[in-house]
Amino acid sequence: MRILKWTLLAWLVAAPALAEIKRDHHSAARLDEVRIKHLYLDLDVQFDKQQLAGFADLSLDWKKPDAGRLDLDTRDLSIDRVLVKTDAGKWHRASFTLGSRNAIKGQALTIRFAGHPNLVRVYYRTSPKASGLQWLSPEQTLGKQKPFMFSQAQAAHARSFVPLQDTPAVRFTYSAHVTAPQGIRVVMSADNDPNATGAGGYRFNMPQPIPSYLLAIAAGDLAFQSIGPRSGVYTEPGRLAAAAKEFEDTEAMIAATERLYGPYRWGRYDLLILPPSFPFGGMENPRLSFITPTVIAGDKSLVSLIAHELAHSWSGNLVTNESWEHIWLNEGFTSYVENRIVEAVFGQNQAKMEQVISQRELMAELKELPAPDQRLVVDLAGRDPDDGLSGVPYDKGQWLLRTIEKRLGRDTFDPILREWFDSHAFQSVGTDEFLNFFGTRIFDKHDAAFPRLEVEEWLYQPGLPASAPLTAAPAFDVVDAARTDFLAGAKSAAALQAGSWVTQQWLHFLNELPTDLSQDKLADLDAAYHLSDTKNAEIAMRWFLAGIRAGYEPIRAPMRAHLIGIGRRKLMMPLWGELAKTPAGKAWAREVYQVARPGYHPIAQASVDAVLK
Ligand code: BES
Ligand code: ZN
């Protein structure tokens, strides 16, 4: 106890420096001078040139009217001209400069003028290699007839397709007019109209203020099917029926979340199912979550991803991290809410299995992560916000909230969390606000059930506090017993009677296999359960991982198809990394990557390039 106290004291002295990270290291915006209030986009989607071209109108809210300048973020944009609108309503050319290129931030666009115009118009074009856009040829789509494009703005990629203040500290409303070739439907993170024909272009409006990382656009051969009173699915026609079936519980999830945390404030909640090169599982673009097709498993076993992206409609999209150091406020809260939704709609058994997987995968990851990145609040100075990302904000963040919930009881904790969302709606917050708000209600209470010292250990110390409660999932008891028997040679694979296991039981079985498993054991499992042929991409990834480690050849062909077909980072990065550990594995990986790379998103390409270089 004594030793514990001293260690606590030692880091308490160091903690304030971290707690005070307030600047956004990743933006050129001068927030004390001016802020964007509204954005109007007028763009043409040009597949032949792989570019968006047009203009952005920025309405400005001046904090310092004599600043005489506006600093915007850009990356690889061609700026053609800049106009400012005077009070008398006249447009004038304004002079501008593009700063030197920073590998992380891109180029600052500085516009100078006399006075403080309320409206600035920037004519620009994007680059074919824009980091936030992927352009797919018809051959790269399911239907093979029409091209496809989509954006991914988080964390700092909006600047590669719109010149703006690219920081989560600023919120603005937006509207847009977008034209595209005949037969191509355009959707955005706004009020999509399934009946729009595209004649004269598509028009959008987003009346709720959003941070720049929630700007989103996609265009392609998109069909629509309604799946509920305020929900539907957009995707390529060939995927529509399967997607609509898999995600038919979306309305039940929205209703469950509303019961817990108050009304859904965004109008419609639609899903856009992207081609498999989408580099993430999902992206919480408001009113229209972007979703990987790899969660369409056919049995709804991976739909917690929808719960996750939906949960962001409260944690993240309503209450937003003010900079990426505090991303745990987005992702940790969301992972917690996600699990509450899963529990409400699919039951406690499912929710507990998913909690255990999250906890155990985090513990495994913590063994590899540098200590500073094990803190909930990370220091991103001089770093790309995408590189600072790990399971920590998600799984450790969720675990913290779960621990507080257990200690206080849901009757006390649920209303407090709901009040957090309500009282900070449409604001950007940091960990200080979290400490202030939950401090008066929980941490600083006399006889606090969860004292401030304890929460500060979660926030600013590496690893996990000893008091972190491990979740038990009864459905995993048979899995753990089966694994033990199988490894000890007490039972053959067939004798494990695993044929009826659900996805999460398989994930847990595979996650905890030893790394030195023999080829014979894998062959036995494969013969009994045909794991090399699984269509479930989450199971496949873990099975292939075991196969690489054991040098089990029969996985090569299906793994090749998996790596070429799927650009979702979480499902392919572990495999490239494991392959790269041996010279033979790396040589094979390079050959496969030559075929896979052109189909990958720029963000995914950069990640794999680094591993296989
Ligand atoms: N907002 C994230 C995706 C993201 C985070 C993109 C940081 C860029 C930078 C999204 O909500 C997310 O967390 N997706 C997860 C799924 C989730 C169920 C853990 C993913 O993509 O795997
Ligand atoms: Zn998320």
Side-chain angles (χ1 to χ4, degrees):
M1 192 58 199
R2 210 198 177 84
I3 295 180
L4 180 71
K5 271 205 181 128
W6 278 111
T7 10
L8 288 175
L9 253 184
W11 59 255
L12 261 186
V13 179
L18 260 170
E20 271 161 28
I21 296 170
K22 272 281 175 196
R23 293 183 326 278
D24 187 341
H25 298 288
H26 304 109
S27 173
R30 296 155 74 99
L31 300 180
D32 49 337
E33 294 180 1
V34 61
R35 290 171 179 237
I36 301 174
K37 233 174 18 193
H38 182 80
L39 163 71
Y40 171 72
L41 287 171
D42 198 302
L43 295 174
D44 186 33
V45 181
Q46 301 173 346
F47 287 102
D48 49 343
K49 295 183 182 155
Q50 301 199 329
Q51 71 177 19
L52 301 176
F55 65 83
D57 279 349
L58 304 164
S59 309
L60 303 173
D61 180 13
W62 287 96
K63 309 282 173 205
K64 194 163 169 268
D66 59 348
R69 60 187 285 176
L70 169 66
D71 297 82
L72 303 175
D73 297 298
T74 75
R75 184 185 296 117
D76 300 325
L77 294 183
S78 302
I79 309 296
D80 295 322
R81 89 202 126 92
V82 178
L83 304 179
V84 299
K85 196 173 185 182
T86 62
D87 286 345
K90 287 212 159 165
W91 288 100
H92 284 288
R93 281 291 265 262
S95 70
F96 65 89
T97 51
L98 270 178
S100 56
R101 194 178 197 284
N102 175 291
I104 297 168
K105 291 203 273 188
Q107 284 179 284
L109 169 63
T110 303
I111 303 164
R112 292 180 193 275
F113 30 68
H116 45 95
N118 292 323
L119 202 57
V120 170
R121 175 171 296 181
V122 182
Y123 285 88
Y124 71 100
R125 285 160 291 137
T126 62
S127 155
K129 59 177 204 303
S131 62
L133 302 178
Q134 187 177 16
W135 298 87
L136 299 175
S137 65
E139 300 74 50
Q140 291 173 295
T141 67
L142 191 63
K144 315 276 179 222
Q145 303 300 318
K146 297 180 187 174
F148 200 106
M149 67 83 52
F150 63 87
S151 67
Q152 166 57 43
Q154 196 184 5
H157 301 285
R159 66 193 65 182
S160 74
F161 58 96
V162 182
L164 42 47
Q165 293 178 314
D166 196 7
T167 165
V170 174
R171 279 173 183 272
F172 51 86
T173 52
Y174 83 89
S175 50
H177 171 243
V178 184
T179 48
Q182 176 87 47
I184 296 288
R185 179 193 288 276
V186 181
V187 291
M188 292 191 80
S189 52
D191 60 340
N192 295 288
D193 173 8
N195 298 315
T197 62
Y202 292 87
R203 293 200 174 269
F204 303 96
N205 190 32
M206 171 43 91
Q208 289 97 341
I210 60 158
S212 58
Y213 77 93
L214 295 177
L215 257 187
I217 181 170
D221 184 10
L222 292 173
F224 174 82
Q225 185 172 328
S226 172
I227 55 171
R230 47 185 159 173
S231 301
V233 178
Y234 291 91
T235 192
E236 284 192 68
R239 213 173 253 128
L240 191 60
K245 181 85 191 104
E246 196 84 6
F247 306 132
E248 66 185 2
D249 299 315
T250 301
E251 173 59 29
M253 293 191 195
I254 305 173
T257 325
E258 289 188 312
R259 280 193 293 276
L260 284 166
Y261 306 116
Y264 176 77
R265 305 198 195 204
W266 303 88
R268 289 190 61 83
Y269 180 71
D270 293 318
L271 305 172
L272 171 66
I273 317 304
L274 291 153
S277 66
F278 183 55
F280 294 98
M283 178 65 212
E284 64 271 27
N285 296 317
R287 297 181 179 216
L288 183 67
S289 285
F290 283 23
I291 304 292
T292 173
T294 62
V295 292
I296 306 178
D299 59 3
K300 302 184 181 175
S301 63
L302 301 176
V303 296
S304 60
L305 181 108
I306 308 295
H308 180 97
E309 304 314 332
L310 170 67
H312 273 302
S313 306
W314 286 260
S315 45
N317 300 7
L318 267 194
V319 186
T320 307
N321 51 215
E322 68 189 5
S323 70
W324 301 114
E325 276 89 3
H326 304 283
I327 192 170
W328 82 275
L329 292 172
N330 273 18
E331 298 299 348
F333 276 63
T334 294
S335 300
Y336 172 80
V337 172
E338 164 198 337
N339 198 262
R340 293 294 302 268
I341 300 172
V342 168
E343 181 186 318
V345 178
F346 298 100
Q348 227 181 47
N349 193 32
Q350 181 70 21
K352 290 213 159 148
M353 287 195 289
E354 295 186 8
Q355 268 182 53
V356 171
I357 289 174
S358 147
Q359 293 177 351
R360 301 203 61 103
E361 289 186 348
L362 174 66
M363 291 191 290
E365 188 178 3
L366 287 176
K367 293 190 185 134
E368 318 273 318
L369 267 184
D373 289 347
Q374 299 187 9
R375 301 174 179 147
L376 276 178
V377 183
V378 284
D379 186 356
L380 291 177
R383 294 172 74 187
D384 188 323
D386 289 342
D387 295 342
L389 200 61
S390 72
V392 170
Y394 290 81
D395 302 312
K396 186 174 171 180
Q398 165 178 203
W399 209 334
L400 166 58
L401 296 190
R402 176 76 53 194
T403 309
I404 301 174
E405 172 220 287
K406 285 209 161 124
R407 205 79 68 75
L408 272 69
R410 287 184 174 178
D411 286 350
T412 308
F413 184 61
D414 288 358
I416 298 179
L417 187 48
R418 176 173 176 162
E419 191 194 345
W420 164 254
F421 295 137
D422 279 339
S423 59
H424 296 83
F426 300 108
Q427 295 174 27
S428 301
V429 297
T431 301
D432 283 353
E433 275 88 355
F434 164 82
L435 282 171
N436 288 339
F437 178 88
F438 289 91
T440 55
R441 287 155 188 82
I442 302 172
F443 312 133
D444 299 337
K445 279 200 158 172
H446 173 66
D447 285 338
F450 202 94
R452 179 173 282 265
L453 268 185
E454 203 171 340
V455 72
E456 290 189 343
E457 184 182 359
W458 280 87
L459 296 173
Y460 304 117
Q461 284 298 292
L464 280 167
S467 58
L470 280 169
T471 298
F476 284 168
D477 293 347
V478 287
V479 177
D480 290 324
R483 195 191 311 98
T484 306
D485 287 347
F486 177 64
L487 293 176
K491 278 187 183 166
S492 70
L496 302 179
Q497 298 188 306
S500 60
W501 284 359
V502 298
T503 297
Q504 280 68 29
Q505 289 176 305
W506 276 112
L507 301 184
H508 181 61
F509 180 82
L510 295 169
N511 274 349
E512 314 264 319
L513 286 177
T515 50
D516 60 349
L517 205 61
S518 72
Q519 290 193 32
D520 290 351
K521 287 249 186 276
L522 291 189
D524 189 20
L525 282 169
D526 214 4
Y529 304 109
H530 310 291
L531 291 165
S532 293
D533 302 328
T534 177
K535 292 282 164 288
N536 185 308
E538 293 275 358
I539 296 178
M541 192 273 283
R542 289 163 180 85
W543 171 246
F544 296 153
L545 212 51
I548 301 170
R549 290 180 181 138
Y552 178 63
E553 290 291 324
I555 58 154
R556 287 290 156 117
M559 180 165 67
R560 187 171 191 278
H562 176 103
L563 288 168
I564 293 170
I566 298 176
R568 180 177 171 192
R569 285 205 297 190
K570 187 182 152 212
L571 293 180
M572 50 79 169
M573 285 313 295
L575 299 174
W576 295 119
E578 192 64 30
L579 285 164
K581 285 184 183 167
T582 66
K586 197 165 186 173
W588 185 85
R590 282 192 171 140
E591 179 257 305
V592 176
Y593 187 47
Q594 273 197 358
V595 185
R597 192 178 190 282
Y600 278 13
H601 187 282
I603 298 176
Q605 288 178 344
S607 315
V608 185
D609 288 354
V611 173
L612 295 182
K613 70 174 175 297

